[in-house]
Amino acid sequence: MSTGSIQARAEGWLGNNDVRLLIALALAIGGLYALFSAVLGFQLNGTVNTLRRVAFLSAIYAMLALALNLQWGYAGLFNLGAAGFMAIGVYTMGILTAPVTASPPGFGLPLPVAILGALLVTGVTGGLAALPAIRLRADYLAIVTVAFSEIVRLTFRAPEFANTRIAGVAFGTGGATGLSLPSNPIRILFYTDPAATAPAPNALGTAIFSVVAPLGIEETLVIGWAYVIVLCLCLGLLYWLMIRLGKSPFGRVLKSIREDQQVTQALGKDTRRFKIKTFALGCALMGLIAILWRLSGGYASPRMFKPIQTFYIFIALFIGGTGSPTGSIVGGALFASLLFEGPSFIRRVVAEYLQLSNAPDTLVGAIAELGTLDVTPLLAYSVQDVSISALRLMLLGIVLVYLMQRHPEGLLGHRKAIASSVDLSRQEPREDDNE
C-alpha cells in the first residue's frame, strides 16, 4: 500500500481532526470534574467514582444520540418514542434471561442469546410501528411514536402483566415494582463465580484489587471502570459504523430522502422501504444501548422510561448538531456532563462554601425575597435536593433558547453529512486558470 493511500485513509478516519476533538473534550470534562472533586474535598475513591459516573453517562447518551441521529439526522424521521423502544429492549432481555422458577418467571436463556432476541424483537416492533406511521408528516409521526412509547411503558407497568400466563407460557414484567436483570456481565473478568453473594476474585481480580486497595479504591469501582471501558469501545465501534453507513449508498439515499423525498422517489428509490429499514435499525440500536445501560445496575423499572428520557436524547443531539456523528458524541458528552450531572455538583459546591440555610418552601417565596436585593433565599431554594430536577429543566430550557437563537444547527451542525458522495462545494480549478 502506498504512502499516499495510507495518508488518505488516515485523513478519512480523523475527519478534520474529529478524533483529536473528542479526546480533547474528554480530557476537558475529566479535568473539570477532577477540579470539582478537589474543591469538594473528595478522597481519591470519591474522585475516581465521580469520573466513572460522568464517563458512563457520557458514553450512554453519546450512543443514544448516534442511534437517534440515524433516524432524525440522516433520514429525517421524527421519532419521539425512543424511550418506549429502549424499554422493549430491556424488558425483552430481562424476561428471556429470568429463571423459569423466578418471580416473575422467564425463559432462562443465556445472556448473549437474550440480547440477540431483544434486538430482534425491538427491531421488528420498530418496523411494525413504522408501517402505518411512516406515511405521516414529521409532526404527526412524532405524535404517533410518543403515544406508542407511553402505551409500552404503561403496559409494562400494568399489574395484569406483572406475573401472567399467555398460551400456557408463564412470564411477567414485574409491574410497577420493576424487573430484576442479570448481574453486571463484566464481573466475570474479576470473579470466579460472579453470581455469588460474596464471590472470590480470580487471578486477574486478585492482581488488580491488590494494587488499588492501598489507594483506597473499592472493588466495585474497578468493575465500574471496566464496564465504562467496554462502553467506550462500543461507542467507538458505533461511531465508526455510523460514518461508514453515512458514506455508503444506503446512507446517501437516506440523506437524499431527508433533503427531498419526492426527488428521491423520482430517481426510482422506494423511499418507504428505506425509511422502515432505518426506523427499525435505529430502534434496535436504542434497545441495545438501553440494555448496556441497565445491565450495570441489574434492575429495570417503567419509571426509567418516561417521555422525558426521549427529550434528553433529543437535547443531546441538538447540542452537537443533527446529521453529524461527531456532533452526536459531542452533544451526548456535553449534555451528560454539564446539563445532567452539572446541577448536582453546582448544588454541592454552593452548599459547601456559602453555608446556606432556611430555604423557602416555594419558588415564589424565594423569588419574592429578591425585592430586598437578597439572593440568598433563592440560592438556598435552588440547591435543595428536591430542586435539582427543576434546576436541570431550567438549564435545558436556557440552553435550547440559546441554541435556537445563536446556533440553530448545533455546535457541529455546519458539518452535516450531505447526500452526495463528493463535496459539491469544492470548486475544481478551470483550465483557463492554469494558463
Side-chain angles (χ1 to χ4, degrees):
M1 183 179 296
S2 63
T3 305
S5 61
I6 295 177
Q7 182 178 2
R9 291 195 176 191
E11 291 177 353
W13 166 246
L14 290 175
N16 295 328
N17 296 323
D18 283 0
V19 175
R20 296 179 185 178
L21 170 65
L22 297 177
I23 293 175
L25 177 64
L27 293 176
I29 293 175
L32 176 64
Y33 274 90
L35 178 62
F36 274 154
S37 300
V39 170
L40 293 173
F42 285 0
Q43 299 295 327
L44 179 61
N45 188 76
T47 301
V48 175
N49 186 48
T50 298
L51 295 177
R52 181 207 60 81
R53 175 169 172 79
V54 172
F56 175 85
L57 290 175
S58 297
I60 288 293
Y61 276 105
M63 287 191 288
L64 287 172
L66 280 171
L68 185 61
N69 184 63
L70 174 63
Q71 297 176 333
W72 173 243
Y74 278 1
L77 300 174
F78 198 7
N79 178 17
L80 279 182
F85 295 106
M86 293 167 62
I88 292 174
V90 172
Y91 270 85
T92 302
M93 183 272 298
I95 292 173
L96 292 178
T97 56
V100 179
T101 57
S103 180
F107 294 87
L109 297 178
L111 180 60
V113 177
I115 291 177
L116 291 177
L119 283 175
L120 180 61
V121 171
T122 310
V124 171
T125 305
L128 293 176
L131 283 176
I134 210 70
R135 298 179 180 178
L136 302 176
R137 294 186 305 176
D139 46 355
Y140 293 107
L141 176 61
I143 295 173
V144 170
T145 52
V146 71
F148 176 80
S149 174
E150 278 297 274
I151 291 173
V152 169
R153 186 178 69 86
L154 294 177
T155 300
F156 288 146
R157 184 182 177 184
E160 293 80 5
F161 295 99
N163 195 337
T164 186
R165 180 182 295 270
I166 298 178
V169 179
F171 67 96
T173 63
T177 59
L179 184 67
S180 296
L181 302 178
S183 60
N184 192 333
I186 207 70
R187 290 168 57 90
I188 196 173
L189 297 178
F190 302 95
Y191 297 108
T192 55
D193 185 10
T197 304
N202 55 23
L204 177 62
T206 302
I208 296 179
F209 296 155
S210 62
V211 172
V212 300
L215 301 177
I217 298 178
E218 301 173 355
E219 294 182 6
T220 55
L221 192 53
V222 174
I223 297 172
W225 262 110
Y227 197 75
V228 168
I229 293 173
V230 172
L231 288 181
C232 291
L233 294 176
C234 294
L235 173 60
L237 176 61
L238 183 59
Y239 176 58
W240 178 78
L241 289 175
M242 289 298 104
I243 291 178
R244 297 290 297 177
L245 178 63
K247 294 180 180 179
S248 67
F250 182 84
R252 291 197 293 270
V253 172
L254 296 183
K255 289 176 281 188
S256 66
I257 293 174
R258 176 195 66 198
E259 301 298 335
D260 197 320
Q261 181 172 338
Q262 293 182 347
V263 172
T264 308
Q265 290 175 334
L267 294 175
K269 300 298 182 181
D270 187 352
T271 58
R272 187 167 178 266
R273 180 168 57 88
F274 276 93
K275 291 164 72 173
I276 291 175
K277 287 182 178 180
T278 304
F279 199 86
L281 178 58
C283 292
L285 288 175
M286 291 174 186
L288 175 60
I289 298 165
I291 290 172
L292 294 176
W293 187 351
R294 297 307 169 188
L295 273 178
S296 63
Y299 173 75
S301 171
R303 66 175 180 271
M304 298 175 176
F305 304 100
K306 293 182 178 181
I308 190 66
Q309 191 61 250
T310 302
F311 177 69
Y312 286 160
I313 304 171
F314 265 101
I315 292 292
L317 183 60
F318 288 157
I319 291 175
T322 60
S324 170
T326 304
S328 299
I329 297 181
V330 170
L334 290 177
F335 168 80
S337 60
L338 301 183
L339 297 180
F340 194 83
E341 285 294 294
S344 299
F345 275 83
I346 292 175
R347 177 191 66 80
R348 299 175 71 170
V349 171
V350 172
E352 176 75 17
Y353 286 91
L354 296 185
Q355 301 296 327
L356 301 175
S357 60
N358 299 326
D361 296 330
T362 63
L363 178 61
V364 175
I367 296 177
E369 297 294 332
L370 293 178
T372 61
L373 302 181
D374 185 8
V375 299
T376 304
L378 181 59
L379 287 176
Y381 176 83
S382 300
V383 299
Q384 295 180 103
D385 290 335
V386 296
S387 303
I388 290 301
S389 59
L391 178 61
R392 182 182 294 121
L393 290 177
M394 290 175 59
L395 288 177
L396 290 177
I398 293 172
V399 170
L400 270 182
V401 172
Y402 175 80
L403 286 176
M404 293 301 102
Q405 291 184 347
R406 300 292 184 179
H407 301 281
E409 296 182 349
L411 298 179
L412 297 180
H414 61 283
R415 296 173 54 186
K416 177 186 291 187
I418 59 176
S420 175
S421 59
V422 296
D423 187 0
L424 299 179
S425 63
R426 182 186 302 172
Q427 296 183 358
E428 298 292 339
R430 297 180 301 178
E431 295 183 359
D432 296 343
D433 297 337
N434 297 328
E435 294 180 357

